[in-house]
Amino acid sequence: MNFEHVDGKDKGKITLYALSTCIWCKETKDLLSDLGAKYDYAYVDLLKGNDREVAIEQVKHYNPSCSFPTLIIGDKCIVGYKEKEIKEALKV
Amino acid sequence: MNEQEMPNDAEVINFIERLEKEARQGGYDLNQNKEFTRGLAKGLLINERRYGYLSCPCRLAVNEREKDLDIICPCYYRDPDLAEYGACYCALYVSRDIARGQKELSPVPERRIPFEKRTKLDLTGADISGSIKLSVPVWRCLVCGYLCGRDTPPELCPICKASKDRFERFL
Ligand code: SF4
């Protein structure tokens, strides 16, 4: 499946699973952008067919409740908009 | 996202007015952060167009009413989350303290159990099937807890306006 790319400084591999209608997902995206990090994201609610299944499986692998935002920074998974944890994981 | 899904500003404003009125009538408070509430209201309207019901903007809908019934706004989890965390999962509804700025909003963890793992007991917390005799069944609104004894649930909950299919047989 394809992710959207947002350019910025390379702070390791960052993947965000989000919903296009979710305000906390938006806050998370804005925070990553404010921090100038390069990241990939997918709006799972807009995916169709196989891409959607694959994305849901990936989210469940890290976060069995399949809630959003699910943010993967390196091998760390942060569920929900947790500003402090995100900043810590990005060492800012 | 396709254009048809995008509600315009007037629709969003009207919808917020409706939410505010209903919240006031029911004794609830909306998040006072206008930009935030606008974002959520817009998300709800997008979902209404997409799925045909106001599915929670911060949760993934499966696009089958029966499976998404618990997350139609206001969801079944609003009241317990307000009581425990002072906000619903999306923070569209907040406790009075938070609405007045006397307390900070903090993230609300997801309490919803995935559909495939849910049992009847997760919703009602009780199973007394067959143990008592009643002249009419008792129905419970899964959104607000309203109880009524009659042959069928009402078309709309007189308290929170939840639809008939969001009632369960309680007793
Ligand atoms: S009450 Fe809050 S958490 Fe529940 S569906 Fe509505 S916006 Fe989402």
Side-chain angles (χ1 to χ4, degrees):
Chain A
M1 63 170 273
N2 283 325
F3 286 92
E4 304 286 330
H5 303 282
V6 176
D7 252 335
K9 271 177 271 160
D10 189 353
K11 297 183 186 248
K13 187 161 170 51
I14 305 176
T15 310
L16 172 68
Y17 297 90
L19 302 177
S20 67
T21 52
C22 167
I23 203 87
W24 295 109
C25 299
K26 184 173 177 294
E27 298 279 312
T28 307
K29 278 184 76 201
D30 290 350
L31 177 65
L32 291 173
S33 298
D34 288 348
L35 297 174
K38 179 176 94 179
Y39 66 98
D40 290 341
Y41 75 93
Y43 280 143
V44 179
D45 58 323
L46 299 181
L47 298 176
K48 302 247 181 308
N50 193 45
D51 279 356
R52 186 180 166 110
E53 311 259 298
V54 171
I56 290 174
E57 277 318 304
Q58 289 175 1
V59 175
K60 281 189 176 160
H61 171 76
Y62 293 102
N63 167 18
S65 78
C66 197
S67 60
F68 299 87
T70 291
L71 177 65
I72 317 297
I73 300 178
D75 52 14
K76 197 173 161 31
C77 167
I78 301 173
V79 175
Y81 176 67
K82 303 206 180 96
E83 188 179 340
K84 216 173 124 237
E85 280 187 37
I86 297 172
K87 285 183 169 163
E88 271 168 21
L90 293 174
K91 301 181 183 67
V92 286
Chain B
M1 191 180 308
N2 83 42
E3 280 291 304
Q4 279 172 336
E5 279 183 353
M6 272 301 172
N8 64 38
D9 287 352
E11 283 173 280
V12 176
I13 290 167
N14 276 338
F15 182 55
I16 292 175
E17 279 172 11
R18 187 184 117 193
L19 289 175
E20 263 167 358
K21 189 166 151 243
E22 287 174 2
R24 234 187 351 261
Q25 283 170 349
Y28 291 93
D29 290 277
L30 289 191
N31 193 327
Q32 297 300 302
N33 179 335
K34 297 278 178 250
E35 204 189 321
F36 204 89
T37 303
R38 256 183 93 80
L40 288 167
K42 195 169 176 181
L44 280 165
L45 288 176
I46 291 171
N47 281 349
E48 186 178 40
R49 285 184 197 194
R50 207 186 275 169
Y51 308 118
Y53 42 84
L54 291 164
S55 202
C56 181
C58 305
R59 293 178 166 119
L60 184 63
V62 293
N63 200 7
E64 286 172 53
R65 187 177 166 94
E66 196 203 329
K67 289 187 180 167
D68 292 331
L69 211 49
D70 59 320
I71 53 164
I72 295 175
C73 189
C75 62
Y76 296 171
Y77 314 106
R78 174 181 65 172
D79 287 0
D81 281 337
L82 276 169
E84 194 169 344
Y85 304 105
C88 72
Y89 181 64
C90 298
L92 175 62
Y93 293 93
V94 295
S95 67
R96 195 124 309 167
D97 293 355
I98 291 177
R100 288 189 181 144
Q102 292 158 348
K103 227 180 108 187
E104 287 270 327
L105 187 66
S106 52
V108 177
E110 175 63 297
R111 72 166 66 232
R112 184 188 197 210
I113 298 169
F115 186 80
E116 44 315 337
K117 297 198 185 128
R118 228 174 291 154
T119 66
K120 194 168 182 292
L121 274 174
D122 291 324
L123 289 175
T124 64
D127 186 357
I128 45 121
S129 44
S131 58
I132 47 169
K133 296 229 179 324
L134 298 163
S135 59
V136 283
V138 176
W139 301 95
R140 172 176 177 263
C141 170
L142 288 160
V143 175
C144 75
Y146 166 76
L147 297 175
C148 57
R150 44 186 273 173
D151 289 330
T152 54
E155 287 304 319
L156 286 182
C157 172
I159 306 300
C160 75
K161 309 286 178 273
S163 54
K164 188 175 188 168
D165 56 354
R166 305 181 80 197
F167 274 77
E168 63 164 359
R169 169 100 192 245
F170 190 60
L171 288 177

